[in-house]
Amino acid sequence: MEFTALPTLVGGRVRLEPLAETHAADLAEAVAVGDLWRTWYATHIAAPDDMADDIRARLALHRAGTQVPWAVIDTRSGRAVGITTLLNLEPEHRRLEIGSTWLGREAQRTGINTEAKLLLLGHAFESLGCIAVEFRVHWHNQQSRAAVARLGAKQDGVLRNHRVWPDGTIRDTVVFSIIDGEWPTVRQSLTQRLAGHA
């Protein structure tokens, strides 16, 4: 399967479907709860009024072959509650990054993120034949760093002064990864965690 393939991935609580402009209204509503897009380290989250433009930009990156974007659908409500993406695609090295992900506040800590990551990791390791999957997180985003560690990813290191943000601040990026030999244990752990959210 091509690294840029965009299949629908289905779990019990979550469906990852190809991101489309039809998701804009749901996503604008999800991001508006608690003004999620105003979180200072979340520059990749669009404001409600900018959501349609953000989706179009992500679709253009997919057409260019650099990113693979999904809408995260809560199967209980049938509504889009976030976005997740494969990026830094390196098929020649059989590795990629799961990132540029956000979930509306009401979907956080519900098992949705855990199952979405389980689906994406299964896609990466089992369908694409990856030998490593990476996660990159802002040093100061403690919630996301803890969430990535709970997935079973190990911290590889910190890229110091890695990115200059639009407001001029500098981002240190924490890099985590899961490698293919770890995937069976990670899969089992995530499956057991999901059983607690049933």
Side-chain angles (χ1 to χ4, degrees), residues 12-120:
R13 175 79 194 272
V14 175
R15 184 175 67 254
L16 302 181
E17 59 185 45
L19 184 65
E21 290 186 48
T22 54
H23 296 119
D26 282 356
L27 293 171
E29 186 174 318
V31 82
V33 176
D35 290 348
L36 184 65
W37 82 96
R38 294 187 190 275
T39 307
W40 70 271
Y41 49 73
T43 60
H44 67 283
I45 302 177
D49 290 344
D50 299 327
M51 191 60 66
D53 289 339
D54 180 69
I55 291 171
R56 283 190 285 273
R58 290 172 186 261
L59 295 178
L61 290 170
H62 181 245
R63 286 191 299 275
T66 62
Q67 291 189 13
V68 185
W70 281 272
V72 179
I73 310 298
D74 180 342
T75 57
R76 294 180 185 177
S77 68
R79 298 176 63 82
V81 295
I83 292 176
T84 192
T85 308
L86 300 183
L87 57 159
N88 292 321
L89 309 175
E90 297 185 67
E92 67 278 18
H93 299 296
R94 295 166 51 200
R95 62 184 300 130
L96 50 76
E97 177 189 349
I98 296 174
S100 194
T101 299
W102 64 265
L103 287 178
R105 294 201 190 278
E106 294 176 341
Q108 295 174 14
R109 301 187 188 277
T110 63
I112 287 176
N113 183 57
T114 301
E115 188 170 41
K117 292 301 190 292
L118 180 63
L119 292 170
L120 287 173

Side-chain angles (χ1 to χ4, degrees), residues 121-182:
L121 287 165
H123 175 65
F125 287 117
E126 296 166 17
S127 299
L128 301 180
C130 286
I131 59 173
V133 174
E134 192 174 282
F135 302 85
R136 294 184 175 208
V137 182
H138 194 300
W139 172 266
H140 290 285
N141 188 345
Q142 298 296 330
Q143 181 178 340
S144 289
R145 287 175 62 183
V148 169
R150 282 193 306 272
L151 293 174
K154 292 182 174 63
Q155 183 173 320
D156 294 325
V158 181
L159 302 175
R160 306 290 304 278
N161 284 357
H162 184 229
R163 292 281 186 263
V164 178
W165 285 43
D167 65 0
T169 59
I170 307 295
R171 167 179 156 149
D172 288 350
T173 301
V174 187
V175 181
F176 296 84
S177 67
I178 298 171
I179 59 175
D180 55 344
E182 298 165 342

Side-chain angles (χ1 to χ4, degrees), residues 174-194:
V174 187
V175 181
F176 296 84
S177 67
I178 298 171
I179 59 175
D180 55 344
E182 298 165 342
W183 167 234
T185 303
V186 169
R187 179 179 54 211
Q188 183 178 30
S189 174
L190 295 178
T191 301
Q192 288 177 349
R193 277 178 55 196
L194 282 172

